[in-house]
Amino acid sequence: MTALRSFLAVLMLLGLGACALPTGANRLSPEESAELRQKADRAARQFAEVVETVEPVAERMCRERREDDRCAFRIAIDSRGRMPANAFQTLDTDGQPVLIFTLALIADMQNPDELAFVMSHEASHHILDHLKRQRDYAAQGAQVYADAALRAGASKAAVRRASEMGAAYGARSYSRQFELDADYLGTQIARAAGYDPLRGALYFDRLPDPGDKFLGSHPPNAER
C-alpha cells in the first residue's frame, strides 16, 4: 500500500467518523468539530508517512532473515469504528504478511515514533515466523497432553479435553518471549527507518500493565 493510498484511506475513515456528530446537547461546536477534523488529518498523514518509511526497511530485513519469499508486507486498516486500539499480524491466502491497525490505535498514536515502533514490532512477528512457531508449539502440547491422558486410561472426551488444554498451553508457553523478541527486532527496524525506538516504546507506559499472569500472552510493561 503506497503512502498516498494509506493517507486517503485513513483520512476518509477518520473523516467519516468525525462527521458522525452527536445530536442535541452533546453536539460538537464548530471549533470542536474543526479540531477533530484536524486531528484526523494529522493521524492520516502520520500513518501514510510511517508506512512509506517502515515498510521498505521491514521488507529488506525480512528478505535477509527468511529463506522464503514471503516478505511483501501489506499494511491494512480495520475500518470498524468500534474496534478497540489494536494491531496484529496475519497472513493472506498466499502466505504473504498483512499488518492490520484499527482506527482507534492510529488515532491514539501521539507521535510517529510510537506508530513506527508498533508497526515494526508487528512486522517482526512475521520475520521471526512466530505464527508458525506458535502453531507448532500448540500441536506439540496437544500431543503430549493427549498421550499422557491415554496412558492414564482416560475416556475419549477426557483425552480431547487434555489435547485442547495442551494446545493452549503450548501456544502460550513462548508468547511472552515472542513479544520481547519482536520488540528487539522491531527496535532495529524502527531505528533503521529513521525513528527513535526508545521514544516509540514509551507507548507501553500508556497501556494497562498485563502484569505477571500465568500463561499471560504479553510480558509486564517494565520488561518491554
Side-chain angles (χ1 to χ4, degrees):
M1 180 181 288
T2 65
L4 178 59
R5 288 175 59 194
S6 300
F7 167 73
L8 292 176
V10 183
L11 182 60
M12 179 181 69
L13 293 169
L14 292 181
L16 287 174
C19 291
L21 303 179
T23 59
N26 293 325
R27 183 183 296 275
L28 295 178
S29 69
E31 293 78 14
E32 291 172 328
S33 180
E35 181 179 355
L36 188 59
R37 291 177 187 278
Q38 289 175 359
K39 182 178 180 180
D41 180 72
R42 287 194 299 270
R45 291 183 181 277
Q46 176 175 277
F47 186 82
E49 291 170 0
V50 172
V51 169
E52 188 75 4
T53 51
V54 169
E55 193 281 333
V57 177
E59 182 171 335
R60 173 172 57 80
M61 289 196 177
C62 179
R63 296 191 184 283
E64 291 173 353
R65 290 169 176 264
R66 290 183 64 107
E67 296 180 354
D68 56 30
D69 60 349
R70 295 178 177 178
C71 293
F73 285 94
R74 181 163 62 90
I75 301 175
I77 301 166
D78 186 338
S79 62
R80 294 173 293 176
R82 294 188 177 183
M83 295 298 291
N86 192 25
F88 60 94
Q89 180 256 320
T90 186
L91 301 174
D92 65 14
T93 54
D94 295 322
Q96 295 291 348
V98 182
L99 311 182
I100 300 178
F101 294 78
T102 65
L103 292 175
L105 180 76
I106 294 171
D108 191 39
M109 297 290 98
Q110 293 188 352
N111 54 66
D113 298 294
E114 291 186 353
L115 182 57
F117 185 84
V118 173
M119 193 173 295
S120 300
H121 171 96
E122 296 304 328
S124 296
H125 278 307
H126 174 72
I127 296 172
L128 298 171
D129 213 10
H130 284 166
L131 286 179
K132 180 181 183 303
R133 292 172 63 188
Q134 188 176 53
R135 290 194 300 269
D136 290 344
Y137 288 137
Q140 293 170 13
Q143 188 64 54
V144 169
Y145 274 57
D147 289 347
L150 284 171
R151 289 195 298 270
S155 65
K156 289 184 178 180
V159 170
R160 185 174 60 254
R161 289 194 298 271
S163 177
E164 293 171 351
M165 183 182 300
Y169 179 79
R172 294 270 186 165
S173 294
Y174 293 90
S175 59
R176 292 188 186 186
Q177 189 59 51
F178 286 170
E179 293 300 322
L180 294 175
D181 291 345
D183 285 345
Y184 181 77
L185 180 57
T187 295
Q188 298 177 55
I189 294 173
R191 184 175 181 180
Y195 297 95
D196 183 348
L198 294 180
R199 187 173 182 232
L202 292 177
Y203 174 65
F204 291 121
D205 289 343
R206 305 204 311 274
L207 296 178
D209 195 329
D212 193 17
K213 299 177 181 177
F214 177 65
L215 290 185
S217 62
H218 287 66
N221 291 346
E223 288 188 26
R224 309 183 75 174

